Amino acid sequence: MKRFSACCFTSRISKFHSQRKHNQSQSQIMAGNMSDSSGSKGANILLNHDFSRGLNSWHLNSCTGYVISAESGAQGGISMELGANYVVITDRKECWQGLEQDITDRISTGYTYTVLACVGVSSVSQGSSDVLATLKLEYHDSATSYLFIGRTSVNKDSWEKLEGKFSLSTMPDRVVFYLEGPAPGVDLLIRSVEINCSTSNNNKTTGPACVSAGDENIIINPQFDDGLNNWSGRGCKIVLHDSMNDGKIVPKSGKFFASATERTQNWNGIQQDITGRVQRKLAYEVTALVRIFGNNVSTADVRATLWVQAPDLKEQYIGIANLQATDKDWVTLQGKFLLNGSPSKVVLYLEGPPPGTDILLNNLVLKHAAKTPPSTPPDVKNVTFGVNIIQNSNLADGTNGWFPLGNCTLSVKSGSPHIIPPMARDSLGPHELLNGRYILVTNRTQTWMGPAQIITDKVKLFLTYQVSAWVRIGSGSSGPQNVNVALGVDNQWVNGGQTEVSDDTWHEIGGSFRIEKQPSKVMVYVQGPASGVDLMVAGLQIFPVDRHARFRYLKIQTDKIRKREVVLKFSGLDSGSYANTSVQVRQTQNDFPIGTCISRSNIDNEDFVDFMVKHFNWAVFGNELKWYWTEPQQGNFNYKDADDLISLCQKHNIQTRGHCIFWDVDGVVQQWIKSLNNNDLMTAVQNRLNGLLTRYKGKFSHYDVNNEMLHGSFFQDRLGKDIRANMFKTANQLDPSATLFVNDYHVEDGCDTRSCPDKYIHHILDLQEQGAPVGGIGIQGHIDSPIGPIVSSSLDKLGILGLPIWFTELDVSSINEYVRADDLEVMLREAMAHPAVEGIMLWGFWELFMSRDNAHLVNAEGDINEAGKRFLALKQEWLSHSRGHVDEQGQYNLRGFHGTYNVQVVTPSKKISKTFVLDKGDTPLVVSIDL
């Protein structure tokens, strides 16, 4: 006879029966065993149904759980098949505690859903225990109800199927599926769960229907076999073709293609409404075969875009992919997207070419994006770090190994520096002197002419190479000249470092590069000065860098500047009890600012918010405070997005940076601003200052006043040089509590002469001389293949100004997660080890919501990748913990990072807890504890 779980039905049966009448009016419940579980016609709507991504997308109902892999062996006596995972739900105090998933966005009324789960139990001494599948239905205007789906009885040492069906006639506000049932103390084991949409009960249902997380194409009629059904024009006409242009254009696949024609706007194109067929927090991939035709345009940008409308009618446009399409052949357009919120309408469309040019579409595929295979660490076993790969670098063998790029002339001369350039010396350590020989390049008739070498066979993938040389120019130049160590990687230019030379002295050039795809040819060459200007190059070195070797030094430096001594002084305790009194000190928070960029759409994703509030103590808004966002048309203001973000940050005690009041780059200035005359422009600037800083007075700790002034000068060109300093002065008057920053990019990496540290210093001093209250230096930190000594050298130079330095937009990029992790660790450690740096802001962390590809720490659906794991490991390293006993003087001494601490003291008779904050200071902090 089957034994039912008494606890479960005692606590839940009355609730179930009391609401059964209500439930039946709300939904039709179909329970019982299914004769054939393979009869499901739809794909599994549950995310992470086999727990291959741990417990991601699942939630524990007031208990704890973990995933066991097959390699971990049996659990509770249950054997596992190879490669399978399963979940153990433990610490269960109530029978209803188990595992749940919100499926609101993936089901609809009018459909029948089948449930199939593979479940087991552990910690049952004898007999069996029941496992139940249940739906929790939440309504805003009535009580929550529970729907029973199915039940199975499970013995301790076996897996059992749990099967059932359900359908809904009206849609609740929230639907949660969960597994429950065994008595308290009994562990619930779950190997897999499926919910499949099996049948439609009517043909008029709208909404999610059988929304799928599977790999089938979501697009209906993707190759136009059913004509133009389910497709429409977006502001234009669409036409079906089997050929065009006298048969010169035919489909690449299938029999038909469509054209979006009679286009009068760039945004006109072909579209399909995919409302209800995609779900939030899932990554989707779009692949389309496209080309263009007509209007004498041979190439044009074609974009795939998502138009999303929220329930409050707010619109959002999400760029998915873009490429240069041609009128010669079909090309593949590919990209990914993810929806954070729950939209009421979603439309996918193609756009982009100039008016009059047709967009041709052969087919379009929209699928749940496959998981990116995990990276493997680069193979560095046979790498000799620090060894120069340039042949005959010291020119002891004349110009052997070198060749002139172009019709210039190479010769060897003497008189160059004998010492290694400083940034290379910091990486290489003690090194033999240079011999003083250099290459003289004459008869240069193009800027790209200079000395060159082929290094194809010497460069290894995924290694980071440092570039170093002494350079100089001859007489005859009309002004400062850029000198660049460049690489031609299969005819693509790669920047190895730049410097500006304006006199007859030798200058250090330093940079770095990395190659991540196998090239057929790699050439290194030195170029830059104007034609007719002689170029001199000495001691060119390119060597792979072991970036981990510097970390030990950086850890020591970090301890020196980020830690302080603490003395816990105890009273009220006799000396005989000192040895028996234990002390445990745990740091709960490091107060060094580490923040992230966020956007309004991000905070609709609760997983994003959870990661953000747990791991960051500062935030900056990607776009929502910029002028083009808050006032896209004159007098049309949008502060709601920024207000929402500020409210979230205030709720979680996260400080915020205001980015940015103005942006001096012409390409990002709104057209309505450009159209103003100078008097009206000055008025608009003043209104912007008054409106923004009055509204948010005291809410932003920092402001980037006028972004990227080293790379743009729109406001200065229109309103005169004084406008920049006046922006700072007015901002300070309106909100004296905010620290006002300059902010620019490529300051720290040696690859942009416009924003090298020396020019940034001159720029800041110039502003200060005009009375601008510059309070901080922003280094954006969009960096490739960072080298510690190069970054540190830039920080040293900027540090002489005595202003706090912040990395304001830090991101690194590599297709290999381990290399990306190394890049990030280099930047974080260099920042933490430098006394002038007072904060770090990452420019995002979540895939598909960053400005650069392959820069994320968390994959689109919530998995933390290797770069993210490295980031979290560093955060843990920068927390101080200590334990021991009170010494003979009645004290306990430690050295810890600045931040918040909790102390647990256990004496022979009592236990005491105390919290203290360790601020910066030169003398030990004394904390008195009365026992």
Side-chain angles (χ1 to χ4, degrees), residues 331-522:
V331 291
T332 301
L333 176 69
Q334 193 167 37
K336 293 166 69 175
F337 70 87
L338 178 141
L339 297 175
N340 286 307
S342 299
S344 59
K345 194 165 187 179
V346 185
V347 175
L348 174 64
Y349 66 100
L350 301 182
E351 60 171 336
T357 302
D358 293 353
I359 301 173
L360 310 187
L361 174 62
N362 187 189
N363 65 26
L364 195 151
V365 177
L366 171 59
K367 293 183 177 181
H368 179 221
K371 287 182 63 176
T372 303
S375 302
T376 56
D379 183 7
V380 296
K381 292 178 182 176
N382 299 318
V383 176
T384 307
F385 292 107
V387 174
N388 191 7
I389 65 173
I390 294 295
Q391 180 184 349
N392 189 28
S393 174
N394 61 8
L395 306 173
D397 194 15
T399 58
N400 186 42
W402 297 90
F403 63 89
L405 188 62
N407 295 321
C408 56
T409 303
L410 307 185
S411 59
V412 177
K413 303 292 182 181
S414 296
S416 60
H418 287 268
I419 61 170
I420 296 289
M423 287 184 286
R425 190 166 64 243
D426 287 345
S427 290
L428 295 170
H431 204 275
E432 64 183 22
L433 295 176
L434 303 178
N435 61 14
R437 296 190 183 98
Y438 65 91
I439 294 177
L440 173 64
V441 189
T442 55
N443 302 319
R444 298 177 63 256
T445 58
Q446 300 289 337
T447 59
W448 48 264
M449 290 184 177
Q453 277 195 26
I454 301 298
I455 58 172
T456 311
D457 297 334
K458 300 176 183 179
V459 177
K460 294 190 176 182
L461 297 185
F462 294 110
L463 286 184
T464 302
Y465 289 88
Q466 184 167 345
V467 178
S468 173
W470 290 111
V471 294
R472 182 179 168 185
I473 58 172
S475 59
S477 65
S478 58
Q481 302 290 308
N482 281 355
V483 180
N484 168 228
V485 178
L487 293 103
V489 182
D490 292 340
N491 298 315
Q492 180 180 359
W493 175 76
V494 174
N495 190 352
Q498 293 190 52
T499 191
E500 188 176 85
V501 182
S502 58
D503 50 30
D504 58 356
T505 60
W506 290 93
H507 291 255
E508 176 182 15
I509 191 168
S512 63
F513 70 91
R514 183 170 58 236
I515 297 173
E516 300 196 344
K517 293 182 180 179
Q518 188 62 52
S520 58
K521 181 181 178 182
V522 181

Side-chain angles (χ1 to χ4, degrees), residues 593 618 625 655-659 699-705 737-741 804 806 808 838-839 841:
W618 279 68
L625 210 67
Q655 293 193 65
T656 50
R657 301 192 75 252
H659 175 80
K699 294 185 177 180
F700 289 103
S701 301
H702 299 171
Y703 277 107
D704 296 328
V705 176
S737 67
T739 304
L740 305 182
F741 276 70
W806 279 59
T808 55
E838 295 191 8
M841 305 295 296

Side-chain angles (χ1 to χ4, degrees), residues 23 317 470 519:
N23 293 345
Y317 293 88
W470 290 111

Side-chain angles (χ1 to χ4, degrees), residues 620-737:
V620 62
F621 310 159
N623 291 301
E624 286 78 359
L625 210 67
K626 291 171 181 169
W627 198 357
Y628 63 64
W629 193 279
T630 62
E631 194 178 5
Q633 292 86 35
Q634 189 171 16
N636 180 15
F637 295 99
N638 169 28
Y639 288 115
K640 185 179 186 306
D641 294 330
D643 290 347
D644 290 347
L645 292 171
I646 288 174
S647 296
L648 177 78
C649 292
Q650 289 177 334
K651 176 182 176 182
H652 295 284
N653 297 315
I654 293 173
Q655 293 193 65
T656 50
R657 301 192 75 252
H659 175 80
C660 52
I661 305 174
F662 301 101
W663 196 347
D664 226 347
V665 176
D666 185 275
V668 297
V669 178
Q670 306 96 296
Q671 192 58 47
W672 72 263
I673 293 175
K674 292 181 179 181
S675 67
L676 298 175
N677 62 43
N678 287 353
N679 287 334
D680 290 342
L681 176 59
M682 182 67 81
T683 300
V685 166
Q686 189 62 47
N687 290 341
R688 164 68 172 171
L689 284 161
N690 287 333
L692 188 75
L693 278 85
T694 301
R695 180 184 185 91
Y696 295 119
K697 185 174 183 179
K699 294 185 177 180
F700 289 103
S701 301
H702 299 171
Y703 277 107
D704 296 328
V705 176
N706 191 7
N707 199 36
E708 298 173 2
M709 288 182 278
L710 296 177
H711 291 90
S713 56
F714 170 80
F715 294 103
Q716 179 173 270
D717 293 344
R718 290 285 304 273
L719 301 175
K721 183 179 179 181
D722 291 346
I723 189 60
R724 288 178 163 178
N726 288 337
M727 288 173 173
F728 277 84
K729 294 175 186 176
T730 304
N732 183 58
Q733 292 167 2
L734 291 168
D735 190 350
S737 67

